[in-house]
Amino acid sequence: MLGISKENVFLHTDSYICLCWIKKYCGDLTVYISNRVKIIQDAQIDVFQCPTDNNPADYVSKVKPISSYL
């Protein structure tokens, strides 16, 4: 779709629950979660755990005091 090869795609999450879901058999999950996990599993994209304190997505998605950026 975007013309990016799978070798250049990496998923990062700070959620241990998501990591467990991705490694689990889809049949053991609810339908909503199972459908999304299956897409990730079928794509065979590497998923890595990112510590919450180092998660760059938190800079735009969570309110933090300005002093934490300095």
Side-chain angles (χ1 to χ4, degrees), residues 13-14 16 48-56 58:
T13 181
D14 62 352
Y16 284 110
F48 300 96
Q49 196 276 335
C50 175
T52 300
D53 295 339
N54 296 333
N55 185 351
D58 286 350

Side-chain angles (χ1 to χ4, degrees), residues 4 15 18 21 25 29-30 34 36 38-39 43 46-47 52 56-57 59-64 70:
I4 301 171
S15 170
C18 289
W21 286 342
Y25 170 66
L29 302 168
T30 62
S34 176
R36 280 132 190 92
K38 182 146 179 49
I39 292 169
D46 292 327
V47 182
T52 300
Y59 292 126
V60 295
S61 64
K62 294 183 181 174
V63 177
K64 291 184 177 182
L70 303 175

Side-chain angles (χ1 to χ4, degrees), residues 5-33:
S5 66
K6 286 194 291 188
E7 293 79 27
N8 294 323
V9 175
F10 302 92
L11 300 178
H12 293 82
T13 181
D14 62 352
S15 170
Y16 284 110
I17 292 172
C18 289
L19 284 174
C20 290
W21 286 342
I22 291 168
K23 299 198 181 292
K24 199 171 192 170
Y25 170 66
C26 288
D28 294 339
L29 302 168
T30 62
V31 173
Y32 180 82
I33 296 169

